[in-house]
Amino acid sequence: MVKLSVIIVNYNVKYFIEQCLYTVINAKEQFESRFGQNSLEIFVVDNNSHDQSCDLIREKFSEISLIENKKNVGFSTANNQAIKISRGEYVLLLNPDTIVAEDTFLKIIDFMDSHPDAGGLGVKMIDGKGDFLPESKRSLPTPTVSFYKIFGLSSLFPKSEKFGKYHLSYLDKNETHEVDVLSGAFMLLRKKTLDKAGMLDEDFFMYGEDIDLSYRIIKAGYKNFYYPGTTIIHYKGESTKKGSLNYVFMFYNAMIIFAKKHFSKKNAGFFSFFIKSAVWLRAGLSLIKRIFKTLFLPVLDSIIFFMGFYFIKPIWESYKFQAGGHYPEEYLFYVVPLYISVWLFAIFISKGYKRPTDSKRLFKGILFGTFVVLIIYSLLNESYRYSRALLLLGSAWAMITSWLLRVVFYFLNVKEFSFKPKFKKDIIIVAGSKETSEIKELILKSDEINKGNIILKDFELPEDMSIEHVIETIINNKIDEVVLSHERLSSSDIIKIISEFNKKNIEFKTTILGSNSVIGSNSINSPGEIYVPEVNKISKPENRRIKRISDIVISLLFLLFYPLILLLIDNKLNFINNIFLVLRGKYSWVGYISYEETEYIKLPEIKKGIIWPVNYTSFDEQEIYRINARYASNYNLTDDIYIIYRAFSMIGNKNL
């Protein structure tokens, strides 16, 4: 007989679901030791992930029932797919970015078996830094409760029974309570209750379905409980980006659906109007703030750059045209703004506007922009080449003043525009000797760290060492970050260690032996931080954006100088076709050399290239893979430009 069915909906969180399933299977072993073989079944429903999640599950967790959807059908529909074929007396809806303890399943089933009036159960959840997640226990989002939440009164008066209802913050998080709403991240349901109350409402695509189902459970005559007898880690942010405007709109739209479904027509209308007004107000303020934060520094830079040319130009003219004369008016008002636009764009793609400020990225951006301008300058007709010297003087001015501007912000203690701190980061790896060496290698291969600014410390864990001693060691060594290995520590131990350092300034990450990742999360609102091999660098969203933007810009430049370029390339007829293939997003100017994937690690998917990282001649398959992996792991826009420059005569080729 199946006692418990665990259902996990996955969408592009490959590295998180790997650890989640590892802990679920460990908990399954303890569960089946009491309830018998095959008393627990596990379903993963994948909503058309493109990060090879399904490949990983098939390879490492073959005993799991995997349902692969061909499109993202949403959280509710995906869960319902598995619920319909599940055989358990209880159903647990579990997020993929969670870690459960070995005895979690036993404890929650014991509670439900001893409380026949319980229809649903939630547990105590902490984030990756040990902080309690308030959505572990919630009240119904009535208009009044929602008003207190949206306008911050619940945060100002968390202990007030009146204002703190949204997250029931006045209730002790370490005691069991009857609550209104359970979290969809960990939601244990009695199958009989689902038969009576109904499954998840598929009108809710991603948010609000847990509130709706929780309310229907109560209406069906059952109770919902918050149970702190077991604690899980919810990395919070990987499957939901809480800080985004998209989240705000989706979440509050779900609240409107809930109101229309369960409130009276009059109350639902008022609630919908109130929610929409609040959302648009919040979205508007957020948009204004984001625009200001995004454009403030580039606008200041452009003003300072322009003022430099404004003052340098007459000084240079007095030297250049000693017999009298000056540059035409269009130079200052048309040509200089074009220079500045190129510099600003170059600083942007070099991540010079990423905060906090990194001087190297800033200088790299300006130098790269100057290089691009000089190339364009050399291709122009003589009558449009005004002054290379003035361009170089302006470049020097831009580099010095942009850096000085940031120095001023630094001394004014403006944190938003301060410099990137150059501190050493002490990382302790709590594992056995074999695991430690593997974890070290993985961290050092990651692009997420400044390798010159970390100190990796080993902490080999003897078999008989107590968790208290591990905690004491972390405290005594004044560590910035701790990497905990599941191979030597139980999930219960890891949860206990992380819980111990609640509110302390220590980062935690976890890994399992044989994994290709070290995962973690710093706060409730931040996406999970993750160490993975640098081969994923090219797949990062910001790098994908940069590659696409650069493809478009380069294509437009090729169109602009089309007549000149025809003199320099081999296949003239196919060149224009390549430009439009890239503009349409079918191809990129630079891509992998074609090869057959066999035993090699699968590389991140990118568009096929017009040209390749090297001039392909007769490399064997292994060498081709190495070249492609090196390109993926070291991806940089400047490399793409250099590859195009080096193979310029081949940009009309048909390598498709």
Side-chain angles (χ1 to χ4, degrees), residues 323-535:
H326 57 82
Y327 294 108
E329 282 190 12
E330 61 262 24
Y331 177 76
L332 193 61
F333 296 104
Y334 295 102
V335 177
V336 169
L338 285 174
Y339 292 166
I340 293 171
S341 299
V342 173
W343 280 326
L344 295 179
F345 179 71
I347 294 171
F348 169 74
I349 61 177
S350 299
K351 301 180 184 178
Y353 286 120
K354 191 174 181 180
R355 294 166 189 163
T357 298
D358 187 320
S359 300
K360 288 182 180 178
R361 290 174 177 170
L362 176 66
F363 294 151
K364 182 179 178 181
I366 295 174
L367 286 172
F368 174 63
T370 304
F371 174 70
V372 171
V373 171
L374 285 171
I375 289 176
I376 297 172
Y377 181 91
S378 65
L379 295 171
L380 293 175
N381 185 281
E382 189 71 32
S383 60
Y384 293 104
R385 298 183 195 175
Y386 294 102
S387 172
R388 185 182 283 108
L390 195 52
L391 170 59
L392 293 174
L393 286 170
S395 172
W397 168 272
M399 190 173 295
I400 293 168
T401 54
S402 60
W403 183 78
L404 287 175
L405 176 65
R406 287 148 179 81
V407 171
V408 170
F409 282 128
Y410 174 77
F411 282 109
L412 290 175
N413 201 29
V414 182
K415 292 182 180 179
E416 282 292 327
F417 304 106
S418 60
F419 283 93
K420 186 177 180 180
K422 302 295 182 183
F423 60 86
K424 293 288 184 184
K425 188 175 186 179
D426 289 348
I427 301 177
I428 189 171
I429 300 171
V430 182
S433 56
K434 182 185 176 184
E435 304 154 72
T436 298
S437 60
E438 287 189 14
I439 296 168
K440 268 187 179 181
E441 186 179 354
L442 182 59
I443 292 174
L444 292 172
K445 282 182 178 178
S446 171
D447 186 50
E448 293 298 317
I449 58 171
N450 184 335
K451 298 172 182 62
N453 283 344
I454 68 162
I455 300 172
L456 288 170
K457 298 182 177 180
D458 303 349
F459 181 67
E460 189 169 343
L461 190 60
E463 296 290 344
D464 58 346
M465 180 169 286
S466 67
I467 297 306
E468 287 70 24
H469 186 70
V470 175
I471 293 170
E472 185 182 340
T473 302
I474 294 170
I475 294 171
N476 293 339
N477 279 275
K478 296 180 180 179
I479 299 299
D480 300 304
E481 183 174 306
V482 181
V483 178
L484 303 169
S485 168
H486 278 283
E487 196 70 19
R488 297 302 300 276
L489 292 165
S490 68
S491 300
S492 302
D493 290 338
I494 288 173
I495 292 169
K496 183 178 179 181
I497 291 170
I498 294 176
S499 299
E500 185 70 27
F501 288 90
N502 173 35
K503 302 300 181 187
K504 292 183 176 64
N505 195 29
I506 297 178
E507 299 172 19
F508 285 93
K509 290 184 171 63
T510 58
T511 187
I512 55 178
L513 188 64
S515 174
N516 217 23
S517 65
V518 179
I519 63 172
S521 180
N522 282 341
S523 72
I524 183 172
N525 292 316
S526 68
E529 294 179 348
I530 184 169
Y531 292 155
V532 295
E534 283 185 341
V535 75

Side-chain angles (χ1 to χ4, degrees), residues 3 13 58 74 147 203 214 261 303 311 323 400 455 459 552:
K3 186 77 171 176
V13 283
R58 278 192 294 267
F147 178 86
D203 286 343
S214 296
K261 182 176 179 180
I303 292 171
F311 290 113
I400 293 168
I455 300 172
F459 181 67
I552 293 171

